[in-house]
Amino acid sequence: MKVKILAFGITKDIVKNNSIFIDLNEGATVADLKNKLESEFPKFKALKSLLIAVNEEYGNDDLLISSSDEIALIPPVAGG
Amino acid sequence: MMDGKINIILQAEELSSDIAFNFVADNSAGGIVSFVGTVRNQTNGKKVIRLEFEAYEKMALSEMRKIAEEAIKNFDVFKIVIHHRTGVLQVGEIPVVIVVSAPHRKAAFEACQFAIDTLKETVPIWKKEIFENGEVWVSAHP
């Protein structure tokens, strides 16, 4: 399945876009997505952290992803 | 239930600490504590020209609301305001205002500290520092 991933902050610079499409197997989890992203964009590995938001909530590694989810890359936040 | 007690805003326009103060003011409050973040003119001795804030807006608003609800649940406070700006900010401008009212000062101080500390950990807002010769996404790398 093809999933759309929103990018923010430094991840936008790394993927050179506001969003990207990634191919995942059916039944893929947040951890699978992270592995795929790190192999396609090795610069992600240098970040202090990379979290994945699924439908506007932080997703645990074992959370299943579906193609209708809103998925976003959350690099280290720095509000305030 | 918590609706009249919480005010959350994320906006590109200037923030007003007066508006935030007026929201939490209450005759039964014994104290009001506020934290106002301001853009500093240097980081590690390097002159900062401006900051650029970017937010994942829908999620940032819901994470800000979670913090406010948590503060009301865990501390004896009446009302809480969390306002944050987006876009380009110059030195001296205000990216964040948190104001808390409570019957007694201790709870107000604690809730305010909790709110700003948690905001910096969980709310999807990113900050880019622009220096004279370069720029950096704050906290991105170890």
Side-chain angles (χ1 to χ4, degrees):
Chain A
M1 61 181 173
K2 218 175 197 78
V3 293
K4 184 183 180 183
I5 319 271
L6 306 175
F8 294 98
I10 195 168
T11 63
K12 223 166 55 176
D13 295 349
I14 293 173
V15 306
K16 299 187 171 64
N17 215 328
N18 294 330
S19 66
I20 50 168
F21 286 90
I22 295 279
D23 262 320
L24 290 175
N25 296 326
E26 295 293 332
T29 62
V30 163
D32 296 330
L33 171 61
K34 276 201 237 177
N35 288 335
K36 183 111 189 191
L37 286 165
E38 287 182 355
S39 66
E40 286 192 31
F41 303 96
K43 283 183 178 168
F44 282 146
K45 287 187 229 166
L47 298 179
K48 194 156 72 184
S49 65
L50 179 65
L51 299 178
I52 305 290
V54 179
N55 301 324
E56 298 161 34
E57 299 280 347
Y58 289 105
N60 291 329
D61 276 353
D62 56 1
L63 184 67
L64 290 174
I65 288 175
S66 110
S67 57
S68 59
D69 289 332
E70 179 170 310
I71 299 168
L73 302 177
I74 312 287
V77 302
Chain B
M1 177 190 82
M2 290 187 176
D3 269 5
K5 298 178 167 228
I6 293 174
N7 185 244
I8 306 294
I9 292 178
L10 185 62
Q11 65 180 26
E13 296 77 27
E14 259 181 55
L15 298 182
S16 158
S17 51
D18 282 350
I19 290 174
F21 182 92
N22 289 337
F23 180 88
V24 304
D26 191 300
N27 285 343
S28 48
I32 294 176
V33 169
S34 62
F35 174 79
V36 177
T38 51
V39 177
R40 194 175 43 227
N41 64 2
Q42 60 82 30
T43 291
N44 299 327
K46 281 184 6 184
K47 187 177 171 196
V48 171
I49 307 297
R50 64 175 188 276
L51 297 186
E52 294 178 7
F53 285 91
E54 181 186 337
Y56 179 14
E57 292 199 10
K58 286 180 296 178
M59 185 174 169
L61 286 168
S62 76
E63 290 294 326
M64 287 158 77
R65 180 162 295 276
K66 279 185 201 167
I67 293 170
E69 288 174 355
E70 195 89 341
I72 287 184
K73 215 183 305 164
N74 294 339
F75 304 94
D76 184 16
V77 300
F78 284 129
K79 294 186 181 177
I80 177 165
V81 164
I82 305 178
H83 292 173
H84 205 293
R85 256 186 96 178
T86 56
V88 176
L89 273 77
Q90 308 297 329
V91 170
E93 287 196 276
I94 297 173
V96 64
V97 175
I98 297 178
V99 188
V100 182
S101 62
H104 303 287
R105 69 181 183 282
K106 187 163 186 281
F109 275 113
E110 285 173 352
C112 191
Q113 171 108 53
F114 161 79
I116 184 62
D117 289 351
T118 310
L119 180 146
K120 283 173 174 283
E121 284 172 9
T122 64
V123 177
I125 294 177
W126 298 273
K127 166 164 59 190
K128 192 194 260 180
E129 280 181 321
I130 317 294
F131 301 104
E132 279 171 314
N133 42 22
E135 53 184 51
V136 61
W137 285 103
V138 175
S139 301
H141 295 106

